[in-house]
Amino acid sequence: SKMATPFREIHRNIFLGYRGNLPKLRQPVRHVGFIVPFLKGASRLGAILIGRSARNWWRKLPRDKQVHYRSTLYKIRHWFYILGGTLLGSGLLYYVAHLEETPITKRKRFISITDEELKKISVAERDMYMEVFRNSNSIYQADDLRHEVTRGVVEKLLASGITEKMAEIHWKLYIIECNAVNAFVLPTGEIFVFTGLIKSLKNEDELATILGHEIAHAILNHAAEGVSHKAALEIVAFGIIAVIWAVLPNDIVSYMIQQLHNKIVDMFLGLPYSRKLEREADEVGMMIAAKACFDPQAAPALWQRLHERQEEEGGDAQENEYLSTHPSHKRRKEYLESLLPNALAISEANQCTKMIPEAQQFRKMFKLL
């Protein structure tokens, strides 16, 4: 039998959206994110070319021409203030007009991509995965025990009906033969679970923790939110990068300052936002699992085990999370522990104690995998 990936890989492969160990498969960022790096690269290249061209044009001007242009620009500077204020005001109006309320958590967030645009990108990503999985003959049939048990977990999670959004998505489960400890859910509703993940978990409560987290990303529409947030940052970055390459003395200095700018934007705007979405998916995923009568205590227990395993292997317990898209193992465990009282109340409200015999039978099936 194939060796299961070590438990510490759960964080790297599942919750970080890593999709390694797949033959002939490109490695896009989680959920439609594969188009963002391309647009980001094209945008920044355009900004560099514009800024660099402006710098070279200015340097070729005779001295008297430079003095003339400076004088003229100073005289009409108020028009630049008006133009800047107009652009800023228009941007704020656009931002406010595209604010939406997140299902369940009721958080306000900016969404600029339409449902139709997201669907087109998601379908392209789905087709890419399905082609790879079918060509490698790695999709398990629906009558396989792994598919049956996982389907039972998924059906219970979806039956929780925590939001109407669940009924709007056409869900479909695929069990993939692959040793990678991995699972992910696309915005189009395809749920991919790798056999390496199933072998690495102790019970169905842990599987519900992971799938609840991934389903939460889908029903909260984090894919569209992530793309919108990155697009907004890129619009601002375009102007800043163009100015950097226009005003700094040479290409080397411009490049170094641009890299510094990129790191600052990631550290203070990009990565914290990504961690916020992960925490929200952890919260909603736990609520889904609790309402579906899975044990919510499995979530912090899972992250505690990951944290302990990491320490045993000499890893940094906090993982330097400020440079990561995800919170550290320890911080996720502490956050989920703080949510336990609410999750247990949800379980109690759904009279989950009456389902103990059924849960015990389900655990026996899980042990057969």
Side-chain angles (χ1 to χ4, degrees):
S1 62
K2 298 179 180 178
M3 294 293 292
T5 307
F7 220 148
R8 69 190 178 99
E9 292 294 299
I10 289 181
H11 177 74
R12 176 168 172 254
N13 289 347
I14 300 172
F15 299 100
L16 288 181
Y18 176 80
R19 295 171 184 175
N21 301 332
L22 295 180
K24 301 178 182 178
L25 184 61
R26 294 173 304 219
Q27 297 191 16
V29 179
R30 173 199 294 280
H31 310 333
V32 310
F34 69 95
I35 196 171
V36 174
F38 171 78
L39 296 177
K40 178 179 178 179
S43 170
R44 297 195 175 187
L45 177 60
I48 291 171
L49 293 176
I50 290 173
R52 194 170 183 272
S53 298
R55 184 181 67 201
N56 292 337
W57 170 79
W58 178 261
R59 285 182 175 176
K60 291 178 181 179
L61 287 176
R63 181 65 179 172
D64 59 330
K65 284 285 187 181
Q66 291 181 357
V67 172
H68 172 71
Y69 281 130
R70 283 198 184 100
S71 175
T72 303
L73 291 174
Y74 181 78
K75 290 177 182 177
I76 63 171
R77 65 188 183 281
H78 59 281
W79 289 108
F80 287 99
Y81 299 151
I82 294 172
L83 177 61
T86 301
L87 291 175
L88 180 60
S90 299
L92 288 174
L93 286 174
Y94 183 85
Y95 177 82
V96 172
H98 288 79
L99 287 177
E100 297 181 5
E101 193 175 75
T102 309
I104 306 173
T105 60
K106 306 303 179 183
R107 174 179 57 86
K108 291 289 185 181
R109 42 83 177 282
F110 172 70
I111 300 286
S112 61
I113 187 173
T114 66
D115 291 341
E116 199 59 36
E117 290 169 337
L118 178 66
K119 183 178 179 181
K120 289 179 181 178
I121 300 172
S122 302
V123 167
E125 185 179 21
R126 178 198 65 192
D127 293 345
M128 180 186 69
Y129 279 114
M130 292 305 299
E131 180 182 2
V132 171
F133 294 146
R134 286 183 177 132
N135 289 344
S136 60
N137 196 30
S138 57
I139 302 177
Y140 275 82
Q141 298 298 316
D143 58 358
D144 184 87
L145 181 59
R146 296 174 184 82
H147 195 287
E148 180 182 347
V149 172
T150 307
R151 184 176 67 243
V153 173
V154 171
E155 287 177 347
K156 287 174 69 177
L157 291 172
L158 298 180
S160 66
I162 197 168
T163 173
E164 294 178 356
K165 179 74 173 178
M166 279 185 164
E168 298 172 3
I169 299 176
H170 180 65
W171 304 96
K172 194 165 185 179
L173 173 66
Y174 296 95
I175 304 298
I176 308 300
E177 174 59 41
C178 183
N179 280 341
V181 181
N182 202 353
F184 58 94
V185 179
L186 297 178
T188 44
E190 283 75 20
I191 303 171
F192 296 97
V193 181
F194 291 1
T195 52
L197 169 66
I198 298 174
K199 295 173 186 176
S200 298
L201 300 177
K202 287 186 174 181
N203 52 53
E204 79 286 352
D205 296 312
E206 292 188 350
L207 182 58
T209 294
I210 293 169
L211 295 182
H213 173 97
E214 297 297 336
I215 289 172
H217 276 303
I219 63 176
L220 295 172
N221 205 13
H222 280 172
E225 183 175 353
V227 170
S228 300
H229 183 256
K230 289 181 175 67
L233 291 181
E234 280 309 302
I235 291 174
V236 177
F238 182 92
I240 295 175
I241 292 172
V243 170
I244 288 173
W245 281 82
V247 303
L248 293 180
N250 56 60
D251 290 350
I252 295 177
V253 175
S254 297
Y255 177 78
M256 293 176 63
I257 296 300
Q258 181 193 338
Q259 293 305 307
L260 178 61
H261 159 266
N262 294 345
K263 293 295 183 183
I264 291 173
V265 170
D266 282 343
M267 185 174 295
F268 292 100
L269 296 175
L271 296 177
Y273 199 87
S274 176
R275 292 194 293 270
K276 179 171 72 172
L277 296 187
E278 291 302 321
R279 281 192 295 271
E280 186 174 53
D282 280 344
E283 176 185 357
V284 174
M286 175 182 268
M287 292 169 63
I288 294 172
K291 195 169 184 183
C293 291
F294 291 102
D295 185 3
Q297 296 178 91
L302 172 63
W303 286 108
Q304 176 63 26
R305 187 162 69 252
L306 289 170
H307 172 63
E308 291 173 354
R309 174 62 65 88
Q310 186 181 50
E311 286 192 325
E312 289 174 3
E313 296 179 355
D316 180 4
Q318 290 301 317
E319 298 179 17
N320 201 3
E321 72 171 59
Y322 296 106
L323 300 177
S324 172
T325 56
H326 288 59
S328 67
H329 298 342
K330 183 178 181 181
R331 209 173 288 273
R332 293 181 86 162
K333 172 250 183 183
E334 292 171 349
Y335 180 62
L336 289 167
E337 277 185 336
S338 71
L339 300 175
L340 266 181
N342 181 56
L344 292 171
I346 292 174
S347 295
E348 185 176 349
N350 283 272
Q351 299 182 320
C352 291
T353 53
K354 293 182 179 180
M355 300 181 66
I356 290 178
E358 178 185 340
Q360 290 176 339
Q361 180 63 29
F362 201 81
R363 286 187 175 88
K364 291 179 181 178
M365 290 183 64
F366 197 90
K367 290 179 180 179
L368 295 175
L369 301 182

